[in-house]
Amino acid sequence: MKRLIAVALCCLFFAACKDDEDFIAPAFLHIDAITLVPPATNPITLESGFYTSDIVACYVSVHYPGSSKLDNLGLFELPFTVPVLNDGPIDYIEIYPAVRQSGSASHLPYYTFYKPIKITKLTFDLGGAHYVDTLFTRSGDTLSLDTLHTTYDLTLQDVHMFELFEPTSSSVYFDSVTWHKHAPDEACTGQGYASVHVPDTLSRVPFAINYDFYVNDSRRAVYLELDTRSDIPFEIYMTAAYTSGGATDIQRVMVINPSTEWKHIYVNLGRTWNYFNYQVPFRLSFAALNVEGETGDIRIDNVRVLSTLKTS
């Protein structure tokens, strides 16, 4: 929506200025995609499954020389080309990766687990001239950044669990799943994945993570990430106590819809954790929902639970 607003405003700007001899056409910024990669130093793991992602949009800001603040261009779905109404140097560009939170296409927050991308030095051609170690927008030209890369900001977060279902894994955190150790053609990444078979005779098939999660700070953002390919929908639940030492209860977090292709899901656990007054520990469980009475399978891979103090 913001992308459409930016384009509409640009068109209005053109229309208002088309007879103005002082009118300067904007330059343009283009980005194809943003991918997640291992950090250059001290990675938690180099397993490719830890870096699966689905970055669908980004917030873009620029800083001009002499300005006391960033100029926010807006939120744009990838890929995009956006006008930059400036004819001159730019100090730097900051790009903040955004994801579909809990499967919602209308909610695209900056995912604070990922490092923002700061572009300060580039080599590119504009108007026949060659610029090095500077950012410069010239009227009518397009600065194409192609595919950018980010990584987890592991200095500000905790990885509470990571299950990649590989043959080399020391343990599997899940109960009531089938672990396919040598199925590279079926896995999202690597050699293995897990599945839950649902017969047509059962309307509900539960499975769970056999692990207690301790997140001892109510200020932390908590997310479940997983890759899934499923024939039928399944629900995610959180189990915890409302008071320390009290009886546990179970709350539904969300429903994951079926998908014929592997898709990466970001599940915000914070709202449900709030229901339990941020008591620890909590557990996560799942249930296949076979409302149509059909046989099907749920496949999961690269499951991880993370928390961070960086919330904006």
Side-chain angles (χ1 to χ4, degrees), residues 25 41 68 73 81 86 94 98 118 129 180 200 230 242 254 265 269 305 310:
T41 58
S68 61
L73 299 186
T81 301
N86 180 68
E94 286 194 350
K118 188 172 184 177
H180 305 269
D200 57 9
S230 59
Y242 294 101
M254 69 170 292
I265 305 293
L269 299 175
V305 174
K310 186 178 177 183

Side-chain angles (χ1 to χ4, degrees), residues 18-311:
K18 65 180 180 179
D19 296 325
D20 188 345
E21 62 182 13
D22 295 325
F23 167 67
I24 299 175
F28 294 88
L29 172 67
H30 176 81
I31 299 176
D32 284 322
I34 301 176
T35 62
L36 188 66
V37 297
T41 58
N42 301 319
I44 285 184
T45 177
L46 291 176
E47 293 283 355
S48 61
F50 192 69
Y51 303 98
T52 55
S53 64
D54 186 19
I55 301 170
V56 297
C58 63
Y59 293 84
V60 180
S61 299
V62 297
H63 188 271
Y64 301 112
S67 177
S68 61
K69 62 180 181 179
L70 283 168
D71 184 13
N72 297 316
L73 299 186
L75 169 65
F76 306 98
E77 294 185 40
L78 295 159
F80 66 85
T81 301
V82 60
V84 181
L85 301 179
N86 180 68
D87 186 26
I90 294 176
D91 284 337
Y92 56 87
I93 302 171
E94 286 194 350
I95 299 162
Y96 303 85
V99 303
R100 292 189 184 93
Q101 178 172 277
S102 300
S104 174
S106 61
H107 193 187
L108 299 171
Y110 161 46
Y111 196 55
T112 56
F113 293 85
Y114 295 159
K115 287 185 176 181
I117 303 164
K118 188 172 184 177
I119 308 296
T120 57
K121 294 182 179 181
L122 293 175
T123 301
F124 56 91
D125 292 306
L126 286 179
H130 193 62
Y131 296 90
V132 181
D133 293 346
T134 186
L135 288 176
F136 194 87
T137 56
R138 179 165 296 179
S139 177
D141 285 310
T142 298
L143 170 59
S144 181
L145 299 180
D146 301 320
T147 297
L148 298 175
H149 308 289
T150 185
T151 193
Y152 281 113
D153 191 352
L154 295 176
T155 62
L156 298 172
Q157 65 188 262
D158 292 326
V159 179
H160 299 275
M161 185 206 82
F162 174 45
E163 179 57 77
L164 64 167
F165 300 106
E166 293 300 292
T168 56
S169 297
S170 58
S171 63
V172 174
Y173 290 96
F174 278 77
D175 285 337
S176 304
V177 300
T178 300
W179 182 14
H180 305 269
K181 295 185 179 181
H182 302 285
D185 293 338
E186 289 290 317
C188 178
T189 60
Q191 297 290 316
Y193 72 101
S195 71
V196 175
H197 181 68
V198 183
D200 57 9
T201 55
L202 296 178
S203 60
R204 188 177 186 275
V205 177
F207 56 105
I209 298 177
N210 184 23
Y211 187 79
D212 292 325
F213 294 100
Y214 294 86
V215 184
N216 57 2
D217 191 333
S218 62
R219 297 171 298 168
R220 300 187 74 88
V222 187
Y223 272 78
L224 164 69
E225 289 188 45
L226 72 157
D227 293 294
T228 178
R229 180 165 66 92
S230 59
D231 303 322
I232 57 177
F234 64 96
E235 287 184 312
I236 302 174
Y237 301 92
M238 179 183 288
T239 300
Y242 294 101
T243 59
S244 181
T248 61
D249 192 11
I250 188 168
Q251 292 279 354
R252 190 179 75 169
V253 178
M254 69 170 292
V255 176
I256 303 294
N257 292 321
S259 174
T260 57
E261 303 291 336
W262 283 101
K263 62 180 180 179
H264 191 77
I265 305 293
Y266 303 84
V267 182
N268 186 348
L269 299 175
R271 291 181 180 179
T272 312
W273 191 35
N274 180 45
Y275 294 154
F276 293 107
N277 302 309
Y278 303 108
Q279 294 297 310
V280 292
F282 65 82
R283 286 202 169 200
L284 297 174
S285 59
F286 310 81
L289 303 176
N290 188 14
V291 294
E292 301 296 331
E294 299 177 354
T295 298
D297 292 281
I298 294 170
R299 306 161 189 84
I300 55 174
D301 203 354
N302 306 317
V303 182
R304 49 214 186 255
V305 174
L306 312 99
S307 69
T308 180
L309 278 172
K310 186 178 177 183
T311 57

